[in-house]
Amino acid sequence: MEQLIQPPREIEAKFHVASRQIFSDLLALRQCGTFALAPTPEPEQQTNIYFDTQAGDLRLARHGFRVRMVAGNAKATLKGPAITVGSAQSRTEWEVALPDPDPSTLPPGELREHLLELTKGAPLIPMLTIRTQRQIINAFQQSRHVLEIALDDLVIEAGSRTQASLELEIELLSAGTRADLEAMVILLAPRYHLTPEPRSKLARGLELLEEV
């Protein structure tokens, strides 16, 4: 019997942060319930460029494709539609390193195959850019690295319009469980007045692009 190979999945909970004071308070945390928290030494400066075809094939298929630049390194990511269960969203996700930010340099593999299938081989054009200063906080249960918390200070650039936002994402890692994710949400959301954000950054950018 042929074994089915499951595509990689991203599981995370996303929230809007109401103020810079709350953002700073979250960044200063070193313990949260039974979780030990360890921030990375420096924030990560990201430039995220989102692409689609002229006909909007990816949007119609509820997929998103971006190229992220960090410290001169490029990474391509293709994400599928989100499925919400409780406070978490789950979606298929493929990632691959690129030699430069040009999506035409995608190497052969699953990501490229899925992208070509979705776009029918049509050229990709940049739709919007999101510039993010991201601070990563690693969450541990004893010696298990179970969650990654991202505090994002970001600006969406969509045509002539811009939108700034402060956000928090909690991503489940392979050593963790959904119970770890839900526990962290329960610990953080009420205390810091976090508002769930069901829309992706791409979705909000496209909404901004379409504003009259």
Side-chain angles (χ1 to χ4, degrees):
M1 182 175 179
E2 184 180 355
Q3 183 178 4
L4 295 176
I5 299 175
Q6 296 297 321
R9 299 195 72 85
E10 172 190 61
I11 301 172
E12 64 181 8
K14 301 166 63 174
F15 299 90
H16 173 71
V17 179
S19 70
R20 290 200 173 274
Q21 182 58 60
I22 294 174
F23 193 88
S24 298
D25 292 344
L26 288 163
L27 188 55
L29 282 174
R30 295 297 179 270
Q31 189 75 30
C32 188
T34 59
F35 295 93
L37 305 181
T40 54
E42 297 292 335
E44 183 177 272
Q45 306 295 335
Q46 303 177 350
T47 300
N48 301 280
I49 304 174
Y50 288 80
F51 294 83
D52 204 343
T53 64
Q54 188 67 49
D57 292 295
L58 293 177
R59 185 177 189 180
L60 291 171
R62 299 175 60 211
H63 280 65
F65 175 72
R66 72 165 185 242
V67 174
R68 171 174 290 170
M69 291 292 298
V70 178
N73 298 311
K75 179 187 290 185
T77 302
L78 177 65
K79 294 188 180 187
I83 300 171
T84 301
V85 179
S87 58
Q89 295 179 353
S90 172
R91 56 173 60 83
T92 54
E93 179 185 60
W94 294 268
E95 290 189 323
V96 65
L98 295 180
D100 62 58
D102 185 349
S104 68
T105 62
L106 273 171
E110 284 189 42
L111 193 158
R112 187 171 184 272
E113 290 173 7
H114 286 293
L115 190 61
L116 287 172
E117 181 180 358
L118 290 164
T119 62
K120 308 173 187 66
L124 291 169
I125 58 175
M127 302 299 292
L128 57 93
T129 299
I130 302 178
R131 303 186 191 279
T132 305
Q133 178 172 282
R134 167 168 286 186
Q135 180 68 63
I136 299 293
I137 302 174
N138 299 301
F140 297 86
Q141 283 283 28
Q142 298 179 353
S143 61
R144 293 184 301 121
H145 185 193
V146 295
L147 302 169
E148 184 178 275
I149 301 170
L151 280 165
D152 289 345
D153 184 347
L154 64 96
V155 177
I156 301 173
E157 301 173 358
S160 61
R161 298 177 179 86
T162 62
Q163 183 182 87
S165 183
L166 299 173
E167 302 180 11
L168 178 144
E169 297 181 0
I170 308 170
E171 183 173 352
L172 179 63
L173 302 181
S174 59
T177 65
R178 283 184 177 266
D180 291 320
L181 178 58
E182 294 296 339
M184 183 64 78
V185 169
I186 291 169
L187 287 165
L188 291 180
R191 179 179 176 184
Y192 293 97
H193 310 290
L194 301 175
T195 305
E197 179 50 84
R199 299 169 300 165
S200 68
K201 295 181 179 70
L202 172 59
R204 284 175 283 149
L206 291 173
E207 289 172 8
L208 190 63
L209 196 63
E210 293 176 352
E211 286 184 2
V212 177

